[in-house]
Structures are given as C-alpha cells and as structure tokens.
C-alpha cells in the first residue's frame, strides 16, 4: 500500500522503528509536534524541479514543489496555524521576514528559534502583523554550498490584509524576482552607482581602499562573488510565463519582491511610470512617480502602474545580460499582439528621500550606536570576511553585540567602509530611515535598506521586542561570513 510521508508520520514512533527508520526520522517522530486540529496553511520543504522554460529545468529546494512558494494571505491580528514539513536531509529554518513575532516563531537559529528537523515538522501558531507585503524564506547558513539557504528556491510572498485596505487600484499582481544556477566568480564585484545621494565619505573610502590594496599587494586575489546563469520572474524566464494581461486605463498595483540571495535588481516598463506607494509593505508618507524601481536583496516595492500606453511590453531588468537571461515578464494589453518591446528607460537615480516626509522631522533617540562595516578581502578560504565594529559574527557563542533597554528608542549610525552596497536587515522590528549620506530623511518605515558604498546611514527603532533579534546584511554571501550581530533586549 503506498503511504505518503504525512500518513507515515501519523503511524507513530513504533511503526516507524519497525520499518527501520533512520535516526533523523526517529528524532522527528518522537518530537512533540502532533498538535490536534487543522493548520490554516501547510508548507512542505522538499527538493523538486522548477521549469524556468521548457529547455531550462532546475532541481532545487522549494516550498510545496513550486517557485515562488504559495502566496500566504493572513489577516492582521488573526491567530494563524502553519504546519511546516521538512522533507530534506538537513534541518531548516523558515523566517517570517518583516513580521514582528516572538523568537520561537521568527525562524533564526542565531536567535534561538528551534529548527524544523530533517524529515520532521514544526507547527507554528502566532498572530501575523503588521499588515502589508511581507515574505517568508529559509534562514540557514549556506557558506560555500550554493545549493543551500537562499541560493535554493525557498521564498514566497506573504500579504497581511489590513483592517482597512486603501484601494486606489483595480487589481494587484505579485512579482517575485529570483536568480537560479549560481556559480562562484573571483573578478571583484561590479560597481553600482544608482543610489542618490551619491556622496562618499573620504575616511571610509580611504580605509576600505587601503585594506584592499594591502591585501592585493600580498598576492591575495579578490574574494569570491556569486553569479547566476538563469533569471526569472515568478519562476519563469522572460517570454516563458503567462504575460500580465491588462486593459487600457487599468490601475495595476505591483507588489515586487526581490528574493535573490545576493543581487540588487532593477525594473522598468517602457512608456510607463511606477507610482511607489509602499516600501517593504509599509505605506510611504509621500507616494512618488519613478521610471525605474531599484530593489535590494529582500526589499519589497509596491507601486501602481496606470496602463495608458497600449502595446506588448517587456517589464524587465535594466541589465541587458540579466534580462536576456530571463529577468523580465511580458505585459500585454488586450487586443494587442506582436513581439514584446523593450526600451531603455530615462536615466534615474534611486533616492529613498523622494518618498519621505517633506519636513524630515524625527524623534530624538535615547541613544546613538555607531556600527562600522568592513571587508577583509578573501580572508576565509578565499571568501571575504565581514566585520561589524571589527568583529565577525561567531555562530557558536551567539554572544549579543548590543544590550537594549526595553522601550528605549535607538539610532543606528551605520558606516560602510566597503565599496559594496549592503541590504541591511533587522529582525522582529521595523525601523525608520532618518539620515542618508548626510541628508536628513523621515517617515519611511522599512525592514531592509540599501546602504551605499562608503556611505553612512541612520536608522531609528524602538526596542519593543524582548529576546534576541538578529541584525545582518541580507546578502547570503555576506551574512554567512561574519556580517551579523545579535541585539538582546531583556
Ligand atoms: Cu552585505
């Protein structure tokens, strides 16, 4: 009789022993996971095939055999039960990115969330929030293994419905951007200069450049970077998925998630502009029109596009090579046919301040904490090692870098002594951007933000969550090699 894994688990420990289950299975079976009642959602982590195009099929680890993982729609404040099964041979973590949840739910081993055992399961019961566009993804260390962590296809969108939906659009479309088939390269990363303000700090630049010069003078090559062979939106390479079908005059709300392990993405739609209404799922104080979206690793942008330029278009990445290898999706107006058209958009910088409160007034924090990020070129078996205030994260000691006072408001003054742009993320909190490269800002609430090369940025947040919270660069390649710290709030 064929028995599926779930039924098999329900047979209980004795039956499993009789079948000669491996020890990992026995551990899972004896764990107290069999809570009665149905889950609202079931997620299953397993290796499966993803068809990016008919002649490009990849084998990777997914949620429920698909990429992206299913869109989970939660209701703000409504208790939710999620069962997570792990059908792989290694323990997993599922992180509820952008939600404010307790440590045992959050999905970070560094904070102390229990893992989802190999061939086992965990039931999570919690109250989702805050409302808005969030996502879920794996949170394990990949190190040099490009099949693990966010190099796999473990990511899916979450939409937490607010009690009152602000609805100035006709419909919404979720887009998940992701690369596949990763490989290592050693050429040094490409310089990206799309951020405004562009001012670099001399002291940071001197420090970063002299460290790199000294390393290269010793004959050390550049540390490893990661490149990709295939690019996709919603798991399909450009031209291979269903187009976004629109009607003239329609207002389409795009919820765009960059689920990349390491990359910053851009998006443009020829002849159209994006009205950015929310960043990381939080409404911005000042919606503004832009011709191009720039989205750091793990960032989300919600933008309304008024469909007023009939045709068949490519909504795609500005990089010709990445778009040519799949990073795009076709937008097709009703009644229009033909080859999808791409046109380079007008030159535009990405400036978070465009969406900020005009007066840039911010609360005075109780304390200011300076954090300096630095790169040690190829210092760890050819990988760059990353430090925060001179210290790489120690997975084993899990010693908090900061002790926070509950209820106090903190300002993180982050100094980037490297030329890389870092998507900085704080778990279990939202923060407010209060200064970018010396310029004041206010009112933008986010959970990931791009910190420019050799720049300083200030983020304010309230320490209102007890326990450990992980602070890290969201690039898998950086976080795995030191770019993490724990904040403890008693
Ligand atoms: Cu980084």
């Amino acid at each position: 009789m064929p028995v599926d894994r779930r039924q098999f688990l329900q047979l209980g420990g004795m039956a499993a022993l009789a079948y000669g289950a491996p020890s990992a299975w026995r551990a899972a079976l004896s764990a107290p996971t069999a809570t009665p009642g149905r889950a609202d959602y079931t997620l299953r982590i397993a290796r499966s095939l993803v068809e990016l195009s008919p002649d490009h099929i990849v084998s990777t680890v997914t949620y429920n055999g698909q990429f992206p993982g299913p869109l989970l729609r939660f209701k703000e404040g409504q208790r939710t039960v999620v069962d997570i099964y792990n059908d792989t041979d290694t323990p997993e973590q599922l992180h509820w990115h952008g939600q404010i949840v307790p440590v045992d739910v959050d999905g970070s081993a560094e904070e102390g969330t229990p893992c989802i055992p190999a061939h086992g399961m965990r039931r999570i019961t919690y109250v989702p929030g805050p409302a808005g566009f969030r996502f879920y993804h794996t949170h394990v260390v990949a190190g040099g293994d490009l099949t693990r962590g966010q190099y796999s296809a473990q990511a899916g969108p979450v939409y937490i419905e607010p009690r009152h939906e602000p609805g100035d659009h006709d419909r919404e479309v979720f887009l998940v951007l992701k690369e596949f088939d990763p490989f290592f390269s050693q050429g040094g990363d490409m310089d990206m200069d799309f951020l405004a303000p562009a001012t670099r700090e001399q002291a940071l630049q001197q420090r970063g450049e002299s460290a790199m010069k000294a390393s290269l003078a010793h004959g050390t090559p550049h540390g490893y970077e990661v490149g990709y062979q295939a690019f996709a939106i919603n798991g399909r390479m450009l031209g291979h998925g269903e187009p976004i079908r629109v009607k003239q005059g329609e207002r389409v709300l795009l919820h765009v998630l960059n689920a990349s392990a390491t990359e910053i993405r851009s998006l443009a739609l020829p002849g159209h502009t994006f009205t950015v209404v929310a960043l990381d799922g939080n409404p911005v104080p000042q919606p503004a029109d832009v011709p191009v979206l720039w989205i750091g690793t793990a960032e989300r942008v919600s933008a309304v596009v008024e469909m007023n330029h009939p045709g068949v278009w490519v909504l795609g990445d500005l990089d010709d090579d990445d778009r040519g290898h799949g990073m795009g999706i076709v937008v097709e107006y009703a009644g229009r046919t033909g080859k999808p058209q791409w046109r380079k958009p007008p030159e535009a910088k990405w400036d978070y301040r465009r969406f900020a409160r005009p007066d840039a007034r911010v609360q005075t924090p109780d304390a200011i904490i300076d954090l300096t990020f630095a790169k040690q070129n190829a210092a760890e078996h050819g990988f760059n090692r990353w430090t925060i205030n001179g210290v790489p994260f120690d997975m084993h000691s899990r010693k908090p870098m900061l002790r926070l006072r509950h209820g106090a408001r903190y300002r993180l003054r982050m100094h980037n002594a490297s030329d890389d742009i870092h998507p900085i993320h704080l778990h279990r909190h939202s923060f407010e951007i209060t200064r970018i490269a010396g310029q004041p800002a206010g009112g933008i609430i986010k959970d990931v933000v791009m910190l420019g090369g050799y720049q300083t940025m200030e983020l304010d947040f309230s320490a209102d969550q007890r326990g450990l919270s992980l602070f890290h660069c969201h690039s898998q390649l950086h976080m795995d090699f030191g770019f993490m710290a724990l904040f403890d709030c008693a």
Side-chain angles (χ1 to χ4, degrees):
M1 183 186 73
V3 180
D4 73 16
R5 170 65 42 73
R6 190 171 186 171
Q7 288 168 316
F8 186 65
L9 285 170
Q10 285 165 351
L11 294 175
M14 286 312 290
L17 285 173
Y19 281 107
S23 58
W25 281 37
R26 283 201 297 274
L29 289 162
S30 60
T33 49
T35 319
R38 262 180 71 92
D40 299 298
Y41 287 100
T42 299
L43 293 173
R44 198 168 272 276
I45 303 163
R47 180 160 286 277
S48 64
L49 298 177
V50 177
E51 189 185 304
L52 303 176
S53 79
D55 47 14
H56 203 128
I57 296 168
V58 294
S59 169
T60 180
V61 179
T62 61
Y63 294 119
N64 295 6
Q66 64 182 75
F67 183 84
L71 167 65
L72 305 182
R73 291 195 91 104
F74 297 138
K75 283 204 168 61
E76 187 183 20
Q78 194 174 99
R79 205 175 152 79
T80 304
V81 180
V82 184
D83 282 348
I84 310 162
Y85 290 84
N86 178 7
D87 295 346
T88 72
D89 298 329
T90 48
E92 267 296 342
Q93 284 285 351
L94 186 148
H95 171 48
W96 298 103
H97 187 117
Q99 294 197 48
I100 296 173
V101 293
V103 161
D104 69 314
V105 171
D106 191 48
S108 153
E110 294 81 3
E111 292 171 355
T113 314
C115 68
I116 309 148
H119 301 287
M121 67 86 73
R122 270 199 87 203
R123 167 164 284 194
I124 312 281
T125 305
Y126 79 106
V127 179
F133 183 24
R134 316 287 167 209
F135 80 116
Y136 59 104
H137 65 82
T138 177
H139 207 292
V140 299
V141 176
D145 184 349
L146 294 181
T147 67
R148 297 211 67 206
Q150 295 166 87
Y151 301 118
S152 76
Q154 291 176 73
V158 167
Y159 192 78
I160 305 175
E161 287 165 18
R163 291 185 179 96
H164 308 285
E165 183 81 65
D168 189 23
H169 57 267
D170 299 306
R171 64 195 178 95
E172 48 185 12
V173 174
F174 288 82
L175 300 175
V176 182
L177 281 43
K178 179 91 178 156
E179 305 83 6
F180 296 84
D181 292 340
F183 62 89
F184 286 119
S185 68
Q186 227 169 356
D189 218 0
M190 222 192 306
D191 216 11
M192 298 182 94
D193 64 347
F194 60 88
L195 286 176
T199 341
R200 294 177 149 198
E201 273 178 46
Q202 267 196 357
L204 292 172
Q205 187 156 2
Q206 267 163 16
R207 182 182 159 168
E209 285 179 354
S210 63
M212 181 56 88
K213 246 186 230 147
S215 171
L216 297 175
H218 269 92
T220 314
H222 282 278
Y224 292 118
E225 301 293 343
V226 172
Y228 303 87
Q229 290 176 54
F231 299 74
I233 294 185
N234 290 350
R236 302 290 283 183
M237 292 167 83
L238 175 58
H240 293 285
E242 285 293 303
I244 302 173
R245 295 195 172 85
V246 301
K247 291 191 201 75
Q248 186 167 4
E250 228 178 0
R251 289 171 61 81
V252 179
L253 174 57
L254 301 177
H255 289 298
V256 190
L257 158 65
N258 180 356
S260 176
T262 57
E263 299 266 286
I264 294 163
R265 299 256 60 104
S266 56
L267 267 190
L269 179 62
H272 298 75
T273 53
F274 303 95
T275 307
V276 174
V277 293
L279 293 175
D280 294 351
N282 309 311
V284 293
Q286 190 174 230
D289 292 350
V290 294
V292 179
L293 303 178
W294 286 94
I295 315 161
T297 314
E299 281 190 308
R300 286 89 67 210
V301 175
S302 301
V304 176
V305 180
E306 198 178 311
M307 296 298 169
N308 53 13
H309 200 71
V312 182
W313 305 106
V314 172
L315 168 61
D317 199 288
L318 265 60
D319 188 289
D320 293 336
D321 206 40
D322 295 358
R323 195 180 62 257
H325 286 88
M327 191 51 83
I329 188 167
V330 175
V331 173
E332 186 185 288
Y333 277 73
R336 294 299 178 122
T337 52
K339 195 171 174 291
Q341 301 295 309
W342 168 258
R343 257 186 258 132
K344 202 168 178 272
E347 183 75 26
K349 300 281 183 196
W350 183 253
D351 190 343
Y352 291 116
R353 294 174 307 160
R354 290 209 54 191
F355 317 112
R357 210 167 36 219
D359 63 5
R361 189 170 30 82
V362 295
Q363 225 178 302
T364 308
D366 298 301
I368 298 176
I369 297 159
D370 283 286
L371 299 171
T372 300
F373 310 139
K375 169 159 75 178
Q376 296 173 354
N377 182 54
E380 222 169 304
H381 308 290
F383 290 93
N384 299 322
R385 182 190 289 133
W386 292 92
T387 60
I388 302 179
N389 291 351
V391 188
F393 183 71
D394 180 354
M395 303 278 176
H396 304 289
S397 78
R398 289 170 48 209
K399 194 172 147 245
M401 175 171 277
L402 295 177
R403 307 239 175 232
L404 306 175
R405 187 165 52 81
H406 190 260
R409 191 157 174 90
Y410 291 90
R411 175 164 299 162
L412 301 177
R413 197 157 54 197
M414 310 185 298
H415 312 275
N416 183 2
S418 75
D419 57 353
D420 306 63
I421 297 170
H422 298 289
I424 302 294
H425 175 45
L426 176 59
H427 283 228
R428 305 175 61 226
H429 294 79
S430 300
F431 51 71
E432 179 180 0
I433 303 174
T434 50
R435 195 170 278 271
I436 305 169
Q439 302 300 314
I444 301 174
I445 309 298
K446 290 176 85 351
D447 51 63
V448 189
V449 69
M450 288 183 277
L451 168 62
Y454 302 129
Q455 291 195 337
T456 292
M457 180 180 256
E458 294 178 11
L459 307 179
D460 291 14
F461 73 100
S462 291
D464 49 12
Q465 300 301 311
R466 293 191 195 275
L468 294 171
S469 295
L470 194 64
F471 170 84
H472 64 94
C473 172
H474 216 285
S475 165
Q476 184 87 54
L477 191 61
H478 298 177
M479 63 188 281
D480 289 351
F481 291 91
F483 206 146
M484 296 206 278
L486 283 165
F487 298 172
D488 190 13
C489 180

